[in-house]
Amino acid sequence: QVQLVESGGGLVQAGGSLRLTCAASVRIFSTMGWFRQAPGKEREFVAAIMWSGGSPNYADSVKGRFTISRDNSKNTVYLQMNSLKPEDTAVYYCAVSSFPSSSTQQPRQYPYWGQGTQVTVSS
C-alpha cells in the first residue's frame, strides 16, 4: 500500500515562496503529481513529473513560478513555489499516477493520494 505524506505548507505573503515535500512509503516507479483544491472549487492539476525526473508538466496558471522535482533515492517529490499569489491559496495534494506519462492531468488517473497540506497566501 502506497502512503504519501505532504509537508511544507503554511502562511506566506504574496510574492513569497514555499517548498512542499511529499514523502512516499515505497519506491514509486510512475509519474507523480501535485494537485490543489480551494474552498468551493474542484481539485485541479498543478504539476507532474515522470519517474525519470524528465518531462515536467505544469498548469498554465503556475508555469514559470512553480518547479516540480523528485529524488527517487528518498522516495520524495517536491514543489517549489515562487512568486505566490492569493489565488494560489488551497490545500495541496501529492498523488501517484497509474500512467507513465506526465501529461496525465485528471485526478481519476491518480489512484494514490496524500492527506494534503494547506497553503495560504495573504495579499
Side-chain angles (χ1 to χ4, degrees):
Q1 184 72 11
V2 178
Q3 292 183 330
L4 304 172
V5 179
E6 302 97 334
S7 61
L11 173 64
V12 64
Q13 289 187 335
S17 298
L18 284 174
R19 188 194 196 201
L20 304 185
T21 298
C22 173
S25 59
V26 296
R27 182 67 60 91
I28 304 297
F29 295 96
S30 184
T31 288
M32 295 187 71
W34 286 96
F35 289 76
R36 65 188 182 186
Q37 188 167 18
K41 295 187 177 181
E42 293 187 351
R43 192 167 297 188
E44 65 173 358
F45 171 80
V46 174
I49 188 167
M50 294 177 63
W51 171 78
S52 64
S55 302
N57 186 28
Y58 299 96
D60 289 342
S61 59
V62 307
K63 202 169 292 184
R65 299 187 298 122
F66 290 11
T67 302
I68 188 171
S69 61
R70 64 191 292 171
D71 185 343
N72 290 332
S73 68
K74 298 181 180 179
N75 300 338
T76 300
V77 64
Y78 307 97
L79 186 68
Q80 177 67 43
M81 306 186 295
N82 299 328
S83 302
L84 283 161
K85 304 175 181 180
E87 51 263 45
D88 293 319
T89 295
V91 177
Y92 283 71
Y93 300 87
C94 74
V96 178
S97 175
S98 54
F99 296 88
S101 171
S102 60
S103 64
T104 52
Q105 299 186 7
Q106 298 300 317
R108 64 178 182 271
Q109 296 169 315
Y110 290 75
Y112 300 103
W113 293 83
Q115 83 289 349
T117 185
Q118 176 71 47
V119 172
T120 303
V121 184
S122 63
S123 58

